[in-house]
Amino acid sequence: MPRLDIKKTYKLFIGGKFPRTESGRSYPINDEQGGVIANLCLASRKDFRNAVVAARKAQSGWAGMTAYNRGQILYRLAEMLEARHDAFAAEMQTLGLPKKQAKKEVDTSIDRLVYYAGWCDKYSAIFSSVNPTATAHFNFSVHEPTGVVAAILPEESPLLGLISTIAPIIAGGNSVIVLASQMKATSAVSFAEVIQNSDVPSGVVNVLTGDGQELLPQMASHLDVNALVIARSDVEMEKLLVASENVKRLIHWPSILTEQDPYKILDAQEVKTTWHPVQESASSGEGY
Amino acid sequence: MTKDWNLSAAPESTSHVQLQQEYGLFIGGKWIKPSDGKYFETSNPATEKKLASIALAGRKDVDSAFKSADKAFESWSKLSGAERGKYIFRIARIIQEKSREFAVIESMDGGKPIRESRDIDIPLAAAHFFYYAGWADKLEYVFPGRKVRPMGVAAQIIPWNFPLLMAAWKIAPALACGNTVVLKPAETTSLTALKLAEVIDEAGLPPGVVNIITGDGSTGALMTAHPTPNKLAFTGSTEVGKQIYKAAIQGGKKVTLELGGKAANIIFDDAPIDAAVEGIINGIYFNQGHVCCAGSRLFVQETVYAEVLAKLKRRMDSLIVGDPMDKNTDIGAINSKEQLKTIEHYLKLGSEEGADIYQPAGELPKKGYWCKPTLFTNVAQSNRIAQEEIFGPVLAIQTFRTIDEVIEKANNTPYGLSAGVWTDKGSKVFQLTKALKAGVVWANTYNKFDPTSPFGGFKESGFGREGGMHGLEAYLAFD
């Protein structure tokens, strides 16, 4: 008698744990024959709020790590994904992706993690400045993470979309809450297992599954979310007007699947400029 | 309060200044009368006397300003960076040549002490043009791996606290990057922007590259809703900034916002106290406190609280409030009657909320809009005078014991424009400057500005930077 296989229960990933949605709701995703692949959590606004709390709690610790350390942790994610290469490719094939394409998507995802891992301790050297003021001050400008970032991912390429979006955000010391591809979210939840197993601190990456129409207004309006990344091209910006109410940064990455560059890291950064007098205060003609 | 010091008045002469009775709109290189025929008055807040009539730009005028900017963009954007730069250098030089006239008009129209407009506003405005002029042919070095191009037409709206300087902050980088602009100064302080239009004309800029239109909030709303500009730049209140942000999202326009602040100025017990007291005074009373980055929340470590407070009061007693044109004056006139009302509302509120008010003795001039330098002690974190931007010479003082406590208190605000730290210990300076969520952090100094130094906020203080290499990004498109 053939062995009955064990199906995975796909849940949310919040604060390093895998809770079900507090709403108790689910939605099915199907294979090409119409069979049910999984019942995914239909995350609620409350789930999003919980994720923001976890992300806020984790952010300063993550930003406080050395850039070298963050780089190694991102690289470690690549190592772990490489080791699970075939499993991820197979999982994507159940969603209808041809074998070759599934394999390529995992390849690209791994390489993208390596790419951003390498940027962690370099972007600030390239894009910071020491500013030659006309007064006797030491003056420099550096990038700092904007804080908690929410992101809605592309519908296609569920793994590459997730990684291309979160890698530049977390490389720069932010924490992130993503709403995964709605109908292909299995890859994203499985990658959350990789994250949980890695040295990425709990709460730095949070993964929700569900309906963008339902959650996007909440993502745009939440007062403790500093930036919202729209990593797809089909979102009507009119729906995001509420983001203006707390001057939330809106970042549009319509073609994130094919792009990688350090400017994605900078998109979720703030420039901080620091001044200090150079002369002794007593001998300074002006300044204090 | 001048009488207490018995200083002889040292007024700057206004004889050098040439003002017209009536100003039109500077559109397409010409002075145009407003199509609705509407004008408003601008007056001297220190005397309440009328200075000139200013055109109120309506829908047709806004249209024609954008039309001429759009037309000028075709050739201006194709001009080589080196040639563009030379035009901007010219502007810088002419401002320097006319610096005295600019300074006097700035103080007459806005109420700020002549010493500040002469030594800070005008030289910095000229320096800003000079700085960005030099970038015009060097843009490709700033964004490695990216190809840059001008964005198009920028709509720029500026506030009344640093009128010419804010015009320079907006116009200089926009032109250096190959854009054309329509700029609107604030309703109460149009004059130096209009003088700048004369400078731009004299510099020979092609018609329509810079258009300066005057008006009130209704003109601003027409500008932000207009389909032509693909970039909105705004400096002003967070409240208006949010509306402009909304308009930018609706119109799919790029936007930069430099909004309000409620900066923490933090004094540790190991700080050089006398220098710190000077820094607090400069931090909150500079430009009558009409400064978005003003150090309006003072945090003093408990162990030195009594000493700091005593020295602060003594220093406040010596501040001279009065005629902005007098070179002895430290604190000039409040910019407008409306702003004075707002400040007085907060003074009342502070006392009602249970804080203790202190103001030096002395009399204020009878005519004009004035506010004494003010501090509040016994302030709770939840008091509105500790939470909301007052935009006047009003300081709210709180105390703290530990570093962690003061970091938390300092960051406990929706704003994030600036902050100050006073300590003699280097490692503490860096701990604090890193932990404070603000775009500009002054350590053992305050309220310093420079064209090479990026300025702008975190959180609800806005986004985008003005000044420095980082100020270029706001005015470029990337392929």
Side-chain angles (χ1 to χ4, degrees), chain B residues 150-303:
Chain B
M151 248 172 11
V153 177
Q156 307 179 314
I157 299 174
I158 58 171
W160 44 259
N161 56 344
F162 294 92
L164 182 71
L165 184 58
M166 292 301 103
W169 280 24
K170 293 282 179 288
I171 295 173
L175 297 188
C177 294
N179 307 287
T180 58
V181 309
V182 176
L183 175 126
K184 186 189 91 65
E187 193 183 349
T188 58
T189 55
S190 305
L191 286 178
T192 46
L194 294 164
K195 290 303 269 188
L196 179 63
E198 293 175 8
V199 168
I200 284 163
D201 193 27
E202 186 183 329
L205 262 79
V209 170
V210 176
N211 304 276
I212 294 181
I213 60 175
T214 44
D216 56 16
S218 68
T219 311
L222 288 168
M223 288 170 70
T224 52
H226 201 278
T228 300
N230 34 24
K231 155 83 188 184
L232 305 181
F234 173 74
T235 298
S237 72
T238 291
E239 190 192 345
V240 177
K242 289 174 181 178
Q243 293 165 20
I244 288 178
Y245 190 16
K246 199 173 269 186
I249 300 171
Q250 277 170 323
K253 300 174 196 299
K254 193 164 166 171
V255 60
T256 45
L257 302 168
E258 203 272 88
L259 309 177
K262 192 75 187 176
N265 203 357
I266 302 166
I267 298 198
F268 285 96
D269 58 8
D270 56 7
I273 299 292
D274 289 339
V277 166
E278 277 307 302
I280 299 165
I281 294 284
N282 176 50
I284 184 62
Y285 302 128
F286 171 58
N287 198 33
Q288 297 72 248
H290 301 329
V291 184
C292 46
C293 52
S296 51
R297 289 184 298 152
L298 176 65
F299 292 96
V300 187
Q301 199 156 21
E302 266 183 14
T303 38

Side-chain angles (χ1 to χ4, degrees), chain A residues 127 129 131-134 139 141 238 241 244-246 248-250 263 270-277 286 288, chain B residues 143-144 146 242 245 433-434 436 438-444 448 450 452-454 457-459 462 465 470:
Chain A
F127 298 102
S129 60
N131 310 307
T133 60
N139 176 299
S141 301
E238 283 280 332
L241 289 182
S244 65
E245 281 167 24
N246 75 330
K248 197 186 305 303
R249 284 78 172 124
L250 287 178
Y263 296 99
E270 309 282 337
V271 174
K272 177 186 278 182
T273 300
T274 305
W275 292 70
H276 197 283
E286 53 109 337
Y288 301 101
Chain B
F143 304 92
R146 265 176 149 182
K242 289 174 181 178
Y245 190 16
T433 56
K434 203 168 155 72
L436 292 168
V440 182
V441 184
W442 287 288
N444 293 322
K448 296 290 167 201
D450 195 276
T452 67
S453 174
F458 284 26
K459 303 196 282 184
R465 292 293 173 266
H470 297 92

